[in-house]
Amino acid sequence: MNSLIQTLPKVELHIHIEGSLEPEMMFALAQRNGVKLPYASVAEIKAAYQFENLQTFLDLYYSGAKVLQTEQDFYDLTWAYLQKCAAQSVRHTEIFFDPQTHTDRDMPFEVVLNGITAALQTGREQLQVSSALILCFLRHLSAEAAMATLEQALPYRDSLIGVGLDSSEMGHPPSKFQAVFDRARAEGLRTVAHAGEEGPPEYIWEAINLLKVSRIDHGVRCVEDPALVDYLVEHQIPLTVCPLSNVKLCVFETMANHNLKQLLDRGLCVTVNSDDPAYFGGYLNENFEAVQTALGLTNEDLKKLAKNSFRAAFLSDTERQQLAIG
Ligand code: HPA
Ligand code: ZN
């Protein structure tokens, strides 16, 4: 591993905590909770991770998440990810979680939240990893279900920094969730949304204009609309790009075809992130390493990406400075 990548202080802004469920932990939790998995071994789970697009991944990802059944399971999951952060010089992380994946199979919202937030607190104290939590709505479900989830979360408002939008993008434009995002912003929550991963540039415009997002998750299809690229540069709206995810889900055929360097050189506020590290073959530093090797990134490019991650985070200037040097 390139030593600059290893030692650079970094922020992660696009990580689904359910996507950090390693096959070994999935297998162990299935046994602990008496859940039957459609795989006989860890090797079989790993062999199943061949995806044609976002949906084929999501089908496995939601099925894998069923092994998460108790507060302790969510604690263990989050704790394992935070230890990775500490080992990779990730100083701050803004973590997505998908409550509907769990409440729809009758897990209480607060059991999920309590497990995650307890681990985050231990991570601050024992690992000096700073963190914040973003509740994501599943866009393949209805706007009413998203609103009900937000209502369920509001008693725990102080545990959240914002809301986001994930799951199947095509056919579920950001406009579908305008009312719930309006309500979230009225509660002082920040907003982000997945857009332009598989969906068209129009979805990125909707996320900006209707959901008033502070960042776009993925956003790599912005290049198809030059006016949009100009806008993203002018307003420095960050893109949370996930290189290994994009190749695994066939958004780009190979890493050499990825447009990250093109976006960076064009002046966009690009950041590198892992998305679902247990499914896509690596955590944050492996994503940095993959783009550096395939796209020939310079040390200046790497420093710029790390700097952008601090700029794009929901941190005060004082917190930003302390974390970058601390
Ligand atoms: N896109 C949409 N939904 C997701 C993703 C993603 O990359 N990862 C986990 N849920
Ligand atoms: Zn994602």
Side-chain angles (χ1 to χ4, degrees):
M1 174 75 65
N2 171 304
S3 66
L4 180 64
I5 292 175
Q6 175 54 44
T7 55
L8 259 182
K10 294 170 290 285
V11 169
E12 178 145 64
L13 299 170
H14 186 158
I15 156 83
H16 302 261
I17 200 63
E18 295 89 348
S20 71
L21 178 61
E22 290 287 344
E24 288 78 7
M25 187 181 285
M26 190 192 292
F27 210 72
L29 292 182
Q31 290 193 325
R32 181 156 108 186
N33 294 325
V35 176
K36 198 156 166 38
L37 283 177
Y39 317 100
S41 65
V42 168
E44 266 191 37
I45 302 180
K46 290 184 182 172
Y49 291 176
Q50 307 292 336
F51 311 113
E52 281 145 43
N53 51 36
L54 175 59
Q55 193 58 51
T56 54
F57 155 69
L58 290 171
D59 293 343
L60 280 197
Y61 164 81
Y62 293 133
S63 140
K66 290 182 190 152
V67 303
L68 297 161
Q69 303 224 332
T70 67
E71 185 174 322
Q72 186 68 44
D73 297 343
F74 282 90
Y75 184 95
D76 293 348
L77 176 74
T78 308
W79 180 243
Y81 165 67
L82 291 170
Q83 286 178 297
K84 276 283 182 191
C85 290
Q88 296 203 337
S89 310
V90 176
R91 299 285 168 80
H92 174 75
T93 176
E94 296 183 0
I95 299 176
F96 297 140
F97 75 121
D98 287 343
Q100 288 161 292
T101 299
H102 315 298
T103 53
D104 281 2
R105 52 190 176 87
D106 294 332
M107 277 199 72
F109 178 88
E110 59 273 22
V111 170
V112 176
L113 187 74
N114 289 346
I116 297 173
T117 55
L120 296 182
Q121 187 54 31
T122 312
R124 288 179 199 112
E125 290 163 7
Q126 294 186 11
L127 303 172
Q128 286 73 53
V129 175
S130 163
S131 55
L133 201 50
I134 297 174
L135 183 162
C136 279
F137 303 111
L138 297 183
R139 68 202 301 160
H140 68 276
L141 301 178
S142 69
E144 292 71 29
M147 190 66 94
T149 300
L150 179 62
E151 295 294 345
Q152 213 173 12
L154 285 179
Y156 311 94
R157 157 79 191 78
D158 291 349
S159 297
L160 305 173
I161 192 124
V163 297
L165 192 60
D166 64 7
S167 190
S168 323
E169 188 178 0
M170 294 305 288
H172 302 287
S175 50
K176 177 175 162 186
F177 297 95
Q178 190 171 354
V180 68
F181 273 63
D182 281 348
R183 174 99 172 86
R185 284 199 321 283
E187 294 290 338
L189 291 160
R190 313 292 292 261
T191 61
V192 297
H194 284 56
E197 177 186 20
E198 287 190 342
E202 182 54 37
Y203 284 20
I204 302 177
W205 281 121
E206 284 191 10
I208 294 168
N209 292 326
L210 304 181
L211 306 187
K212 320 265 186 225
V213 296
S214 304
R215 304 190 290 252
I216 297 287
D217 297 315
H218 293 295
V220 291
R221 283 194 62 192
C222 69
V223 290
E224 295 167 32
D225 180 345
L228 175 58
V229 172
D230 289 346
Y231 188 93
L232 293 168
V233 172
E234 186 187 344
H235 296 272
Q236 285 294 291
I237 298 175
L239 301 189
T240 65
V241 176
C242 306
L244 288 172
S245 164
N246 290 154
V247 175
K248 267 288 200 184
L249 301 187
C250 307
V251 173
F252 296 95
E253 206 174 320
T254 67
M255 198 58 85
N257 296 115
H258 201 289
N259 65 9
L260 178 136
K261 171 83 173 150
Q262 180 194 340
L263 296 170
L264 196 62
D265 289 348
R266 180 66 182 77
L268 277 99
C269 183
V270 179
T271 65
V272 170
N273 306 273
S274 71
D275 206 6
D276 301 285
Y279 290 85
F280 299 147
Y283 288 78
L284 190 54
N285 286 355
E286 287 79 22
N287 274 273
F288 267 89
E289 179 107 326
V291 277
Q292 193 224 353
T293 309
L295 305 176
L297 299 189
T298 63
N299 284 351
E300 289 316 304
D301 290 333
L302 297 173
K303 288 181 196 162
K304 178 86 184 164
L305 288 165
K307 192 171 168 202
N308 286 347
S309 73
F310 281 93
R311 277 174 62 201
F314 296 139
L315 292 168
S316 68
D317 286 343
T318 316
E319 287 169 324
R320 227 182 291 281
Q321 274 178 354
Q322 281 171 348
L323 290 166
I325 54 173

